[in-house]
Amino acid sequence: MTMRRFLAVCAAALIIGSTAGSVPAGASAAGPRSCPRGLLFCEDFERLPPGGASTLDWGIDTRNGTFTVERAHRGNKVLHIRTVDNGRAFLRIDDFAAPGNRFYGRMRLRVDAFPTGPDWAHFTLVEATGAGSSEVVRPVGGQYAPTVPGIFWGVGADGGPTGDWTNWRESAPVTEDTWQCVEWKLDPTDNRVAVWFDGVTNPELTASTTEHGGNDVPFILPTVNTVKIGWQLYQGGTTPGQFDLWIDDVALSTKRLGC
């Protein structure tokens, strides 16, 4: 083989190897890259070893909860969260800053089972806090409503002037044991919160300055510097007694990422 042909073969091999390596293991060729450049935060768990989660890129906030990086059926790595009773386990993103305090979030999520007890059991999967407002904003959460009965998604908040509320909606029933793509937006324009499931928005899963589920005062978003993603349930004596969920492709961005 001539030196010129040898170099051409090597170059082709490098190009093929680079192209193959750019697709996350198990990802659909038609789907978006899990961690494209230019995001405010991204974690697809592929670089973390299996077992207990540990990284300098984010912190952990737990009580009666655990994190485990494991392989999913499609071969990629995901984060398995388990909590007992009313425990919590959050991946915590500190020192967060979005230009103009406006940002989108996305994660892929599968929850084994949601609570059916006690009555009005309330859970949170995404929480945002920061300066300038004491509102603890919960764009992704929900509640078991025994009066319907059913378990429904709802935007909520706590700790601020609007009080402790979860504006669950019958138009947004939860889905168990199924992978879903969940997106949310926080926008200081009218202090708006919006949510999408599998790319579809639900106009009822929103909040704004004057339209929310709390006290009759303005709802004001904080200047977000901490975002927590995971699971917390606030009442004890739960049914079931423990909760398992899996998350993947967590991202925060100045633009909507889509599913």
Side-chain angles (χ1 to χ4, degrees), residues 83-104:
T83 63
V84 177
D85 198 48
N86 62 335
R88 69 175 183 269
F90 283 115
L91 175 160
R92 180 179 175 124
I93 305 157
D94 290 311
D95 301 321
F96 176 76
N101 197 38
R102 180 180 186 269
F103 69 96
Y104 294 79

Side-chain angles (χ1 to χ4, degrees), residues 43-192:
E43 178 61 85
D44 62 8
F45 308 103
E46 294 302 320
R47 296 185 179 183
L48 300 183
S54 178
T55 174
L56 297 178
D57 294 334
W58 41 269
I60 289 174
D61 177 6
T62 62
R63 184 185 64 80
N64 294 333
T66 60
F67 290 96
T68 308
V69 176
E70 60 186 39
R71 293 281 182 185
H73 291 305
R74 60 178 181 165
N76 62 306
K77 292 178 184 175
V78 298
L79 184 67
H80 179 188
I81 297 173
R82 172 172 290 171
T83 63
V84 177
D85 198 48
N86 62 335
R88 69 175 183 269
F90 283 115
L91 175 160
R92 180 179 175 124
I93 305 157
D94 290 311
D95 301 321
F96 176 76
N101 197 38
R102 180 180 186 269
F103 69 96
Y104 294 79
R106 184 203 66 201
M107 65 176 169
R108 306 191 195 281
L109 169 73
R110 178 165 74 91
V111 181
D112 183 52
F114 288 88
T116 56
D119 288 352
W120 306 108
H122 169 209
F123 52 90
T124 295
L125 287 89
V126 178
E127 186 174 277
T129 55
S133 172
S134 56
E135 298 282 6
V136 179
V137 182
R138 296 166 175 162
V140 183
Q143 196 158 25
Y144 168 60
T147 53
V148 177
I151 312 164
F152 305 101
W153 295 110
V155 174
D158 193 10
T162 59
D164 182 4
W165 54 275
T166 300
N167 201 12
W168 56 269
R169 295 296 188 176
E170 290 187 45
S171 63
V174 302
T175 302
E176 296 182 336
D177 199 26
T178 300
W179 280 100
Q180 293 181 287
C181 176
V182 184
E183 301 173 86
W184 62 94
K185 176 180 76 169
L186 271 65
D187 188 343
T189 304
D190 199 22
N191 296 287
R192 185 160 297 276

Side-chain angles (χ1 to χ4, degrees), residues 216-242:
D216 189 17
V217 295
F219 173 63
I220 307 296
L221 293 174
T223 301
V224 177
N225 56 35
T226 299
V227 179
K228 298 197 296 186
I229 298 171
W231 177 269
Q232 182 168 6
L233 203 154
Y234 302 95
Q235 294 80 22
T238 60
T239 302
Q242 74 176 34

